[in-house]
Amino acid sequence: MGLLSDPNRRRALISLLTRLNAPICVLCYFAGVCWFMGLAFEPFTLRTYMSENAMGSTMVEERFPSGERALATGREFAAHKKKVGGMPVDWLVKTMQARGLEVFTQSFSRTLPFPDENKERYIVKGTNVYGILRAPRAPRTEALVLSAPCSPGDNNNQAVGLLLGLAHYFRSQIFWAKDIIFLVNEHDLIGMQAWLESYHHTNTTGMDWSPLQGRGGSIQAALSLELSSDVITSFDIVLEGLNGQLPNLDLANLFYAFCQKIGVLCTIQGKLQRNDWDSVSGYSHAVQTMMLMVMKQASGRPWGDHGLFLRYHIEAATVKGINSFRQYKTDVTTVGRLLEGIFRKLNNLLERLHQSYFFYLMPSLSHFVSIGYYMPAFGLLAVILLLRALDLWVHFANPPAVTADGVADIERQSSSGVLSVLTPLVISHLTGAALYFLPTRFQETAVEHFPVSETEAVVLTAIAVYTAGLALPHNTH
């Protein structure tokens, strides 16, 4: 405190930081980058482990036998989908009822801000179909969700068939302590958002949807299934959700544990596990995997239907079946056993997943980087902003006025430089607010008075705001 309270010492410290500003910033930058890139080196990371005691062992016996029947159901679903040109709602309702589920439907519509590029439609209408398997051994206060999006074309038909096959098999089991909801949602994220908003009695997007006629308990976890082939070579788990949110790490650990037990290939970011971490190629592979996860989180958008569950504090992930040119093949029966094992372990949960990490990076499925390891790297990069701000503050301020005793009046100097820094800061925030609000505000006006489309109106408004911003430094000198 004495160093900062003494004007002479404070002036010397500021002079030292401004004189060595550039070298210190370069040093912090390289130190932060090297720290972060070093996190992909396997000896510097932590091995994944199960924190939740209820899921600490994979000693359950998976007996799902109906892989071929699930494929036949998937082909039947594809035929009805092609016949009606969309979601075969009536067929799904009858099929789920035949499997002993409580079946309900939900209609929804969403007005798009821009016309669809393919069909030029402004309103998306669809129907979600879901069936509830009531827990026979519990008070039905908790639930699990298995969903499969009804994608256009021939995509994801096998996932819907497997979902119906698992519903039929789960119906014959008596050990379920949680309700299991089997959901087939239309229009991917739009349908999933409508169902979640109705389930939780919220409306954050202004979407129109009908209230749910049937509900389960509080949703503890959810899995979204995506399969587009009868034969699977590997499974990829997708964790990144809305605004970079991630599920509890135990959910990814559970998926990896059952893949190891059953003997199926599993990937993250589409990349297989490698054991040659001490080689250059192995380290490069880990860096690519970790950076892909960083970029997906930075995008802010959900990378699967599971990403919308995370907004409601529901641990969720998407499991994608990949059919590549690898010689290793996995049939749908094995896929069903994998999902059965995961749901049986989730069924044992006594509380929500909370003991493991929510902020992490994964260079591989067997190793992870916790927030305590990668935040120092971001801290070093953030120091650069503070140092540059200090340098600008000193340069913007007036030269210090020297008093009779030779001491610089730094207090008067600092107060005189406040306006010179505060003015561009306020203008920058106002410009950002204009870019956020004005394009959509001017959309209807531009379309009404000028011969432009809605998309063009938004783009032109954004360009106008940017162009006006170029003149701000001259107008506010």
Side-chain angles (χ1 to χ4, degrees):
M1 294 301 296
L3 180 65
L4 297 178
S5 60
D6 188 353
N8 290 325
R9 293 181 178 180
R10 184 166 56 186
R11 184 179 61 179
L13 177 61
I14 294 176
S15 176
L16 177 64
L17 290 178
T18 53
R19 187 173 68 252
L20 300 178
N21 190 277
I24 294 177
C25 289
V26 172
L27 180 62
C28 290
Y29 181 81
F30 279 102
V33 172
C34 292
W35 185 305
F36 188 77
M37 300 302 290
L39 295 177
F41 192 53
E42 186 169 312
F44 296 161
T45 60
L46 300 173
R47 289 194 63 88
T48 55
Y49 59 93
M50 200 73 69
S51 300
E52 181 61 52
N53 293 330
M55 300 194 308
S57 173
T58 56
M59 294 181 63
V60 296
E61 185 178 358
E62 305 85 16
R63 299 179 179 179
F64 178 74
S66 308
E68 293 300 325
R69 183 177 179 180
L71 289 178
T73 306
R75 287 189 288 268
E76 188 177 356
F77 169 77
H80 283 83
K81 184 171 71 171
K82 184 177 181 181
K83 180 179 179 181
V84 300
M87 182 88 147
V89 177
D90 295 335
W91 180 85
L92 278 172
V93 170
K94 293 179 181 179
T95 305
M96 287 187 176
Q97 288 176 345
R99 282 155 174 75
L101 304 180
E102 296 181 16
V103 186
F104 307 93
T105 61
Q106 179 206 25
S107 59
F108 62 89
S109 63
R110 169 69 171 171
T111 302
L112 298 179
F114 307 113
D116 187 89
E117 295 180 357
N118 297 324
K119 298 183 180 180
E120 296 184 355
R121 58 186 179 184
Y122 288 86
I123 299 179
V124 174
K125 296 182 179 180
T127 305
N128 295 324
V129 181
Y130 64 101
I132 303 177
L133 173 61
R134 298 297 182 182
R137 301 176 64 87
R140 304 174 181 178
T141 58
E142 297 178 344
L144 304 173
V145 174
L146 177 62
S147 68
C150 178
S151 303
D154 295 331
N155 297 326
N156 222 39
N157 296 330
Q158 290 82 356
V160 177
L162 182 57
L163 179 143
L164 296 174
L166 286 170
H168 178 72
Y169 174 72
F170 287 177
R171 183 69 177 82
S172 61
Q173 309 300 319
I174 62 171
F175 45 70
W176 299 112
K178 294 177 174 60
D179 294 342
I180 302 180
I181 302 174
F182 299 90
L183 169 64
V184 181
N185 56 297
E186 193 174 7
H187 299 304
D188 297 328
L189 293 174
I190 298 179
M192 182 60 72
Q193 181 65 36
W195 190 84
L196 285 172
E197 287 185 357
S198 183
Y199 196 92
H200 294 91
H201 299 290
T202 60
N203 195 335
T204 58
T205 60
M207 190 184 308
D208 295 326
W209 36 258
S210 61
L212 297 182
Q213 300 301 318
R215 289 171 48 87
S218 174
I219 301 176
Q220 305 295 300
L223 283 181
S224 179
L225 182 61
E226 296 185 9
L227 300 176
S228 296
S229 176
D230 294 354
V231 178
I232 305 300
T233 56
S234 61
F235 284 98
D236 188 70
I237 184 170
V238 183
L239 303 173
E240 298 82 11
L242 188 67
N243 295 326
Q245 289 180 293
L246 296 173
N248 191 274
L249 184 58
D250 274 345
L251 189 62
N253 296 338
L254 181 65
F255 168 79
Y256 179 65
F258 270 100
C259 287
Q260 294 293 102
K261 175 187 176 182
I262 297 178
V264 300
L265 294 179
C266 54
T267 64
I268 185 170
Q269 312 300 334
K271 296 184 178 296
L272 285 171
Q273 179 88 10
R274 293 186 59 162
N275 298 322
D276 55 340
W277 55 267
D278 53 346
S279 64
V280 176
S281 60
Y283 170 74
S284 175
H285 183 273
V287 169
Q288 293 176 19
T289 305
M290 185 175 69
M291 292 306 298
L292 283 173
M293 187 171 186
V294 171
M295 288 188 291
K296 284 186 176 181
Q297 286 183 263
S299 69
R301 73 179 185 89
W303 289 82
D305 288 352
H306 75 282
L308 301 178
F309 283 90
L310 301 176
R311 172 186 288 179
Y312 300 92
H313 305 287
I314 299 170
E315 311 311 320
T318 293
V319 178
K320 289 186 176 181
I322 299 175
N323 185 8
S324 61
F325 295 100
R326 299 188 182 99
Q327 296 181 354
Y328 188 88
K329 304 294 182 182
T330 301
D331 57 7
V332 178
T333 301
T334 305
V335 180
R337 290 176 180 172
L338 171 68
L339 295 175
E340 178 194 355
I342 294 176
F343 269 81
R344 287 192 62 178
K345 297 305 294 185
L346 293 174
N347 182 64
N348 294 337
L349 286 176
L350 301 177
E351 53 188 348
R352 290 183 180 272
L353 293 175
H354 68 282
Q355 297 191 33
S356 192
Y357 297 87
F358 289 93
F359 301 96
Y360 53 88
L361 299 174
M362 300 191 75
S364 67
L365 276 173
S366 61
H367 290 78
F368 75 99
V369 180
S370 70
I371 186 174
Y373 283 27
Y374 65 75
M375 280 308 295
F378 291 106
L380 290 171
L381 298 178
V383 167
I384 299 175
L385 301 177
L386 298 177
L387 293 175
R388 296 305 299 168
L390 176 63
D391 185 65
L392 290 174
W393 180 278
V394 173
H395 283 83
F396 282 159
N398 295 325
V402 181
T403 59
D405 55 356
V407 179
D409 190 2
I410 298 181
E411 287 77 8
R412 186 186 309 168
Q413 169 192 350
S414 300
S415 61
S416 62
V418 171
L419 291 179
S420 61
V421 177
L422 187 61
T423 301
L425 185 64
V426 172
I427 293 175
S428 299
H429 281 78
L430 292 177
T431 304
L435 286 172
Y436 185 80
F437 290 106
L438 290 184
T440 54
R441 296 292 182 181
F442 290 168
Q443 175 182 336
E444 296 180 0
T445 305
V447 172
E448 182 179 355
H449 295 87
F450 299 97
V452 295
S453 64
E454 293 187 351
T455 307
E456 293 172 344
V458 174
V459 174
L460 291 175
T461 305
I463 293 176
V465 174
Y466 275 115
T467 304
L470 295 177
L472 286 176
H474 303 284
N475 297 335
T476 59
H477 180 67

